[in-house]
Amino acid sequence: MASKYVVLAVHGSLLVLHGLINSLPIWWLSWFGHLGAFWNTAGAFVLVIMIPVVAKERASVEFIFTHFNTDNGMGIHDKAYILALGLLTSQYSLLGYDASAHMIEETKNADWSGPIGIITSVALSTVFGWIFLVALTSIVTNIPYLLDPGNDAAGYAVAQALYTAFHRRYGSGVGGLVCIGIVAFGIFLAGVACVASNSRMGYAFSRDKAMPFSHVWHRVSRNEVPLNVVWLCVVVAFIMALTSLGSQVAFQAMVSIATLGQYISYVLPIFFRVTTARRSFSPGPFHLGRYSIVIGWAAVLWVALLTVLFSLPVAYPIAKDNFNYTPVAVGGVLLLSVGSWVLHARFWFKGPISQTRIFFL
């Protein structure tokens, strides 16, 4: 097991790579975007076939879809509660499809290709993600052993399950490490996309003069890349990770805040679309027609449910080492944001600034 300092150093190195890739001309970023889409789709397809074929022991369909791990060491034994928390598994990863929106000013036929990119991302993530989870769960046959800190993977259940499957079949667990490598590289490419998406949001906010030192972050290089805000994203991501040195609880809370914060940011425009802007909203070339209000309210209610689930305790009895600080932190950010708007920003912020210069991927 690497020390927390080594983990932080690896994290910092990966962030530097993400920053360097995002500093390249825009066509390079487009290439990495296509590589990420191909890798995640092809990688999931390969793993879905490979994992069940290699495994000598596979869980039954009944076990996969009906078993609850009530002996989980977290003090949570109620099946309904376990199911509710289990819903969050997919929510941690079903994110980032808004990247199509953030890159829309650099995309051809943006009013159509942007929404199509979002829908395609959601569809592929949902279908392939679900199939991959079923395939992965099929090799989970001995849960206590997979979670045991004394096993080969020090209690990292997914790695141990893959390692065990290959070791039992071939006498070597190298194949399991290759599977982990496929997933890891996919996550690396997702990190590249995250920095790209975040930097474009920062660029847009600074263009609208909605960030401190907006004149610094609004600058672009000769390759039309917002270099300053790219590296701002890298630095902020590293600073956030520094909390792991002091408290894993604080770090995990920050991860939950980041995830929940994204869902709240997704649903706010939808909420205003189905309420205050219901009559004034002017749909673009791509829209959901008469189903938009129903789908919009379904999204609002779903995020409201997720907000509650992300705020629930994850272990009992509750102590300082396992307390879920997510509702406190999210509430604090919300209070600061609303307070900043009411007391300051509403007096000077004029809304998005139109910009005619558009660059194409």
Side-chain angles (χ1 to χ4, degrees):
M1 293 292 289
S3 71
K4 57 185 179 182
Y5 300 102
V6 172
V7 172
L8 186 65
V10 172
H11 173 66
S13 301
L14 293 175
L15 283 174
V16 170
L17 288 176
H18 290 159
L20 291 173
I21 291 173
N22 276 276
S23 300
L24 297 172
I26 189 64
W27 66 269
W28 271 106
L29 194 57
S30 174
W31 185 86
F32 275 99
H34 285 95
L35 175 62
F38 167 78
W39 187 271
N40 281 282
T41 304
F45 183 76
V46 169
L47 292 177
V48 162
I49 295 176
M50 182 186 302
I51 291 172
V53 169
V54 169
K56 282 188 173 182
E57 297 181 13
R58 290 188 294 271
S60 65
V61 174
E62 180 182 4
F63 179 88
I64 293 173
F65 290 101
T66 65
H67 179 75
F68 288 85
N69 182 33
T70 55
D71 185 21
N72 47 51
M74 304 301 290
I76 299 175
H77 308 295
D78 184 79
K79 292 183 178 180
Y81 199 98
I82 293 173
L83 176 62
L85 294 182
L87 291 174
L88 302 180
T89 303
S90 60
Q91 303 310 305
Y92 277 108
S93 56
L94 197 59
L95 290 166
Y97 37 79
D98 55 316
S100 297
H102 302 314
M103 301 294 292
I104 211 164
E105 294 183 31
E106 303 166 70
T107 306
K108 295 180 180 179
N109 303 317
D111 53 0
W112 183 266
S113 59
I116 290 296
I118 294 174
I119 291 176
T120 303
S121 175
V122 173
L124 291 177
S125 298
T126 302
V127 173
F128 282 96
W130 185 82
I131 295 174
F132 175 68
L133 283 177
V134 172
L136 192 60
T137 309
S138 70
I139 60 174
V140 176
T141 56
N142 188 343
I143 295 177
Y145 171 70
L146 296 179
L147 296 174
D148 183 2
N151 63 28
D152 295 306
Y156 179 26
V158 174
Q160 185 61 52
L162 292 170
Y163 182 87
T164 301
F166 278 87
H167 193 272
R168 287 178 177 173
R169 171 71 68 175
Y170 302 109
S172 171
V174 173
L177 300 180
V178 171
C179 292
I180 291 294
I182 292 174
V183 175
F185 188 64
I187 294 174
F188 173 82
L189 294 173
V192 173
C194 282
V195 173
S197 177
N198 291 339
S199 63
R200 268 51 183 189
M201 279 192 285
Y203 171 81
F205 295 154
S206 61
R207 177 194 59 199
D208 300 337
K209 304 186 186 305
M211 285 180 66
F213 308 105
S214 290
H215 64 284
V216 176
W217 315 125
H218 187 229
R219 296 173 184 168
V220 295
S221 68
R222 62 181 181 180
N223 293 319
E224 308 296 353
V225 174
L227 281 179
N228 291 347
V229 77
V230 164
W231 289 100
L232 173 66
C233 294
V234 170
V235 171
V236 170
F238 183 77
I239 292 174
M240 291 174 66
L242 290 176
T243 57
S244 64
L245 297 179
S247 170
Q248 280 296 322
V249 175
F251 178 71
Q252 291 298 331
M254 190 170 293
V255 172
S256 295
I257 295 163
T259 305
L260 182 56
Q262 277 199 277
Y263 279 106
I264 293 174
S265 71
Y266 292 162
V267 86
L268 282 176
I270 301 173
F271 175 73
F272 294 127
R273 161 68 179 95
V274 298
T275 53
T276 57
R278 186 167 180 172
R279 297 185 183 278
S280 61
F281 181 79
S282 179
F286 185 97
H287 59 88
L288 301 174
R290 59 181 180 178
Y291 301 105
S292 60
I293 301 299
V294 174
I295 294 174
W297 273 114
V300 170
L301 294 175
W302 176 249
V303 173
L305 173 63
L306 291 182
T307 302
V308 174
L309 295 182
F310 270 111
S311 302
L312 293 176
V314 295
Y316 286 95
I318 300 174
K320 64 177 182 179
D321 293 333
N322 58 34
F323 185 79
N324 188 353
Y325 291 93
T326 301
V328 178
V330 171
V333 171
L334 185 62
L335 182 63
L336 289 174
S337 300
V338 174
S340 174
W341 169 257
V342 172
L343 299 176
H344 182 57
R346 68 189 178 99
F347 297 110
W348 57 265
F349 183 64
K350 305 300 181 183
I353 296 176
S354 299
Q355 185 161 310
T356 56
R357 185 176 55 180
I358 297 177
F359 314 104
F360 298 116
L361 287 176

